[in-house]
Amino acid sequence: MEKPEQSPDSAEFTTRAGGGKQGLPSRHTTVGPERAPHRSFLYAMGLSAREIAQPFVGVVTTWNESAPCNITLSRQAQAAKRGVAAAGGTPREFTTITVTDGIAMGHAGMKASLVSREVIADSVELSMRGHCYDALIGVAGCDKTLPGLMMAMLRLNVPSVFLYGGSILPGTFRGKDVTVLDVFEAVGAHAAGTMSDADLAELETVACPSAGSCGGQYTANSMAYVSEAIGLALPGSAGTPAPYESRDRYATAAGHAVMALLERGLRPRDIVTREALENAAAVVAATGGSTNAALHLPAIANEAGIAFDLFDVAAVFKRTPLIADLKPGGRYLAKDVYEIGGVPVVLKALLDGGFLHGDCLTVTGRTLAENLADIRVPADQDIVFPTTRPLSPNGGLAGLSGNLAPDGAIVKIAGLKRLSFTGPARVFDCEEDAFAAVMARRYEAGDVLVIRYEGPQGGPGMREMLATTSAIYGQGMGEAVALITDGRFSGATRGLCIGHVGPEAAVGGPIALIEDGDLIEIDADRGVLALHVDEPTLAARHARWQPRRHDFQSGTIWRYGQTVGPARYGAVTHPGAAAEVHVYADI
């Protein structure tokens, strides 16, 4: 048997983190004679004494064969590992789960989607804790994987770099760029008799032509933009499409960057401040991004011990102009933004207009303003506009409140012609019933469709309603009705669709008291969501109301329902950093 080159705790081996492993978590598994059994396992995997003596960097991906969002992530992980090794670290790759919304959509599988965000964060925490890794690179693709990994970074608070896996290339149908949203809406058109079987079959085969996450400004790309704006990702890393092998350069650079952060002792909570969270909310508003950001930003804030709820997010949305003409409300896709310079162009336009905090630190070790110093917003394009010529003076999303939503609600308004709506309620107690009614055209123009008992606790799992909203649009009724729910919407949803209505029906919130025919008022411009029913009548209904029993009485989804909090605070399942008495990074 070959003799190890040196004892792993030999003084000959130093690290870029300041010499030896003093203060690093991996000292608990690699240093001293009592850790000889642990080192035996490491030698069994082919590590040398030198590699054992270096800092250990966890490289986690959400690679799997569930969807195109994740299929390129293993390749990118190898590039990240090469970067870590070249900078004097020892990379240790592991994976975690994904629930892919496009495939989970429209059936009970969607109850697993938001739950997966917590499982991702929890599983990364456990892997890092169990193996005592010193730093973290997280590579994510599908919607909930992005906030899940960012939440884990803040929770652990070891030096970390986030890397988006990249967006899909657009499909082409009848000479136009298309995305999976077009397929969802085609289902409604097909049901309405305006699309043939053959056209639907052709569309579904061309809409998603490559690997990568959904190409519009849906949840994945919204949170990818957040990763740069909040400072956890390298500048420009979120824009390059997934199939491009040039993405590997960002992955390699992430390896170098995380080692530099380790050397400096710069941690995620030094980067993610309240001002950084406001920057993140601003980029979502400016690009007409996903309403899901109003859940994920409070959840990320919770991991840092920062109070930042739906109303805080909505306040940033209101004061930030819409400057990017992106789908679903606009015309362009993520690839188009990449071709004019990527996310830094959007951030530079906002910074120049005074809508970002430029002094926030980032994973480069420089401030956001320093990162953007040499960026210019191209003049010869109509994708991203300067804030002096916005598409709208208010952001692409709006917060609502009123007697129907004391804890708030959220709506995407980018591209909407109609921002107010008053009509009679048409009430459904689950998404399946609403979808069946839509497909059978059992609703009228002017109705406000209400889907309830789909909140975080009541679902459990807070499903997205893209199948239903897309079917409405496909039937040509997108501007003729409104929809409210205590559940969620996909980032691809368009129309006057109000989600996250709180308190949710499962806890007896006002949405649980609505009856067919009740008049509901929506005014996104004024931020109002009101039920036109007098207080004595509502009080009488509340006295008769009884909690509902859902079908998930064991397993992960049951456990989620027992621990999850309100959507207003991010639908989180633990108290967060505000209740900490110990931080993993300091073990």
Side-chain angles (χ1 to χ4, degrees):
M1 180 176 177
E2 187 176 333
K3 184 179 178 181
E5 56 194 71
Q6 279 278 354
S7 169
D9 52 337
S10 164
E12 177 183 338
F13 296 108
T14 60
T15 74
R16 296 184 61 174
K21 290 204 172 185
Q22 207 166 18
L24 296 183
S26 66
R27 72 188 187 279
H28 294 294
T29 58
T30 61
V31 175
E34 68 276 15
R35 299 309 182 207
H38 305 65
R39 293 191 293 271
S40 290
F41 280 112
L42 299 173
Y43 283 126
M45 291 184 283
L47 294 188
S48 67
R50 182 177 296 277
E51 289 169 321
I52 293 171
Q54 295 175 157
F56 279 17
V57 178
V59 179
V60 59
T61 75
T62 57
W63 178 88
N64 56 44
E65 295 180 336
S66 299
C69 324
N70 310 294
I71 206 72
T72 67
L73 303 188
S74 180
R75 184 199 84 217
Q76 295 183 49
Q78 308 319 308
K81 289 162 65 178
R82 289 193 293 273
V84 170
T90 300
R92 308 309 300 150
E93 182 180 357
F94 63 101
T95 59
T96 186
I97 69 157
T98 304
V99 173
T100 299
D101 289 8
I103 292 175
M105 194 72 69
H107 55 89
M110 179 48 74
K111 292 179 183 288
S113 171
L114 189 58
V115 180
S116 75
R117 184 191 73 180
E118 313 310 306
V119 173
I120 289 163
D122 292 349
S123 64
V124 173
E125 177 193 359
L126 295 177
S127 290
M128 293 286 289
R129 283 187 181 277
H131 304 107
C132 293
Y133 296 154
D134 304 314
L136 179 63
I137 296 173
V139 192
C142 206
D143 294 5
K144 306 308 172 294
T145 65
L146 285 82
L149 291 188
M150 285 186 263
M151 288 163 64
M153 290 172 179
L154 271 296
R155 187 184 303 179
L156 295 160
N157 205 31
V158 292
S160 301
V161 176
F162 178 86
L163 185 67
Y164 181 43
S167 64
I168 199 169
L169 298 176
T172 303
F173 181 73
R174 305 290 192 266
K176 295 182 178 179
D177 284 350
V178 292
T179 72
V180 72
L181 173 60
D182 295 279
V183 188
F184 274 103
E185 292 185 357
V187 172
H190 180 265
T194 59
M195 175 171 272
S196 68
D197 291 347
D199 284 351
L200 181 60
E202 181 184 345
L203 177 60
E204 73 178 66
T205 61
V206 300
C208 299
S210 75
S213 300
C214 294
Q217 201 63 358
Y218 313 152
T219 302
N221 279 320
S222 297
M223 296 308 297
Y225 281 44
V226 161
S227 72
E228 288 198 34
I230 210 169
L232 290 175
L234 293 173
S237 63
T240 309
Y244 293 5
E245 292 195 3
S246 55
R247 285 212 58 80
D248 291 2
R249 292 200 297 270
Y250 285 108
T252 302
H256 286 272
V258 81
M259 292 303 296
L261 292 172
L262 194 59
E263 184 173 3
R264 287 187 58 174
L266 188 60
R267 297 177 174 184
R269 294 186 198 174
D270 301 321
I271 292 168
V272 178
T273 60
R274 183 183 176 89
E275 289 74 21
L277 288 159
E278 291 180 354
N279 288 346
V283 80
V284 175
T287 57
S290 172
T291 54
N292 281 308
L295 274 179
H296 300 326
L297 292 179
I300 290 168
N302 181 62
E303 302 290 355
I306 300 169
F308 194 72
D309 69 4
L310 182 149
F311 290 109
D312 296 308
V313 175
V316 179
F317 287 170
K318 188 171 181 62
R319 68 177 185 248
T320 307
L322 176 66
I323 62 169
D325 192 9
L326 302 178
K327 289 179 181 287
R331 296 175 294 165
Y332 292 104
L333 296 170
K335 179 176 179 288
D336 300 309
V337 179
Y338 163 73
E339 289 176 347
I340 64 164
V343 181
V345 168
V346 180
L347 296 177
K348 180 65 170 180
L350 288 171
L351 183 68
D352 287 348
F355 293 97
L356 293 182
H357 302 284
D359 57 351
C360 291
L361 276 175
T362 73
V363 292
T364 64
R366 300 185 298 273
T367 66
L368 185 67
E370 289 170 336
N371 289 343
L372 299 172
D374 296 328
I375 301 297
R376 298 290 178 266
V377 180
D380 57 342
Q381 50 85 30
D382 60 353
I383 303 168
V384 176
F385 294 80
T387 58
T388 53
R389 292 190 295 110
L391 294 163
S392 168
N394 303 117
L397 301 99
L400 308 174
S401 62
N403 72 331
L404 185 45
D407 273 358
I410 200 82
V411 60
K412 179 183 285 195
I413 58 175
L416 286 184
K417 300 181 183 70
R418 186 176 182 180
L419 297 183
S420 62
F421 196 104
T422 300
R426 179 84 165 83
V427 182
F428 304 93
D429 285 345
C430 67
E431 185 195 9
E432 286 85 354
D433 291 350
F435 183 74
V438 167
M439 295 299 282
R441 297 299 293 265
R442 295 196 305 270
Y443 68 99
E444 304 290 337
D447 283 350
V448 178
L449 308 184
V450 178
I451 305 177
R452 63 189 179 191
Y453 294 101
E454 292 286 8
Q457 184 176 331
M462 204 178 182
R463 283 195 283 186
E464 292 182 351
M465 308 292 166
L466 180 62
T468 302
T469 59
S470 296
I472 291 169
Y473 248 92
Q475 292 173 357
M477 296 290 281
E479 299 284 341
V481 298
L483 192 152
I484 72 169
T485 180
D486 53 5
R488 300 183 294 123
F489 294 112
S490 166
T493 291
R494 55 186 179 141
L496 200 56
C497 298
I498 292 89
H500 308 190
V501 173
E504 63 174 295
V507 299
I511 193 171
L513 310 179
I514 302 173
E515 295 182 358
D516 282 339
D518 287 349
L519 207 61
I520 294 175
E521 177 190 0
I522 302 162
D523 191 324
D525 193 42
R526 292 166 45 230
V528 171
L529 181 58
L531 178 62
H532 288 193
V533 176
D534 61 68
E535 286 302 319
T537 301
L538 289 177
R541 291 180 186 178
H542 194 272
R544 296 192 302 270
W545 176 81
Q546 294 291 325
R548 294 168 60 90
R549 181 181 172 90
H550 57 72
D551 292 340
F552 294 84
Q553 296 300 314
S554 66
T556 301
I557 293 176
W558 170 84
R559 185 166 58 240
Y560 177 85
Q562 301 302 303
T563 57
V564 70
R568 173 179 176 177
Y569 301 105
V572 297
T573 56
H574 72 114
E580 275 179 352
V581 295
H582 132 90
V583 182
Y584 164 75
D586 294 330
I587 61 170

